[in-house]
Amino acid sequence: MNTVRFAPAVLSLLRIAAAYMFILHGTSKFFSFPVDMGGGAPSGIYLAAAVLETGGGILLLLGLLTRPVAFVLSGQMAVAYFMAHAGGGNALFPLANGGEPAALFSFVFLYLAAAGGGAWSLDKLFCKNRSE
């Protein structure tokens, strides 16, 4: 069985699942849904993160402008990892510093920036030769 033919669809599933989970980080900051992350209206860098998580997550979910959006979000998560988790000599141990989600999001988004949106994306619909 040739599993390579499923790669564009599985890429889309990865994009959709990661985007959905990422959007929930933004909605938690903005609306305290599905959980409260910070309480009150976000401001400063927290507001920038909430905007990127919600807006960028929606674009990724749709597969629209996947490559540039994923690149920006990968950078956001790398910055989040080093600002919030890598201090105290634990930079190489995401399990110990609580940074596993940020590190994984960063690398998943970096992959999406390189691979594109996959078979089920608006990028594929609008730019047939550039989405995979």
Side-chain angles (χ1 to χ4, degrees):
M1 182 171 173
N2 185 0
T3 57
V4 174
R5 67 183 172 152
F6 296 112
V10 173
L11 172 61
S12 290
L13 290 174
L14 173 67
R15 174 184 48 80
I16 291 165
Y20 170 72
M21 289 182 258
F22 203 61
I23 290 168
L24 294 178
H25 284 266
T27 60
S28 291
K29 289 178 180 80
F30 274 130
F31 310 115
S32 299
F33 177 83
V35 297
D36 185 13
M37 288 181 72
S43 62
I45 197 164
Y46 205 62
L47 175 62
V51 168
L52 286 170
E53 289 161 0
T54 307
I58 290 169
L59 288 172
L60 278 188
L61 186 73
L62 297 171
L64 184 60
L65 302 171
T66 301
R67 291 176 195 267
V69 169
F71 184 76
V72 169
L73 296 182
S74 176
Q76 177 204 1
M77 288 293 92
V79 168
Y81 179 80
F82 287 105
M83 283 184 70
H85 302 285
N90 283 332
L92 296 177
F93 305 106
L95 178 62
N97 65 31
E100 279 181 305
L104 282 171
F105 272 127
S106 183
F107 281 103
V108 167
F109 293 152
L110 184 61
Y111 176 71
L112 292 174
W120 308 324
S121 67
L122 291 179
D123 290 339
K124 171 119 176 142
L125 182 66
F126 297 134
C127 302
K128 294 187 187 293
N129 61 342
R130 297 181 49 185
S131 64
E132 297 175 23

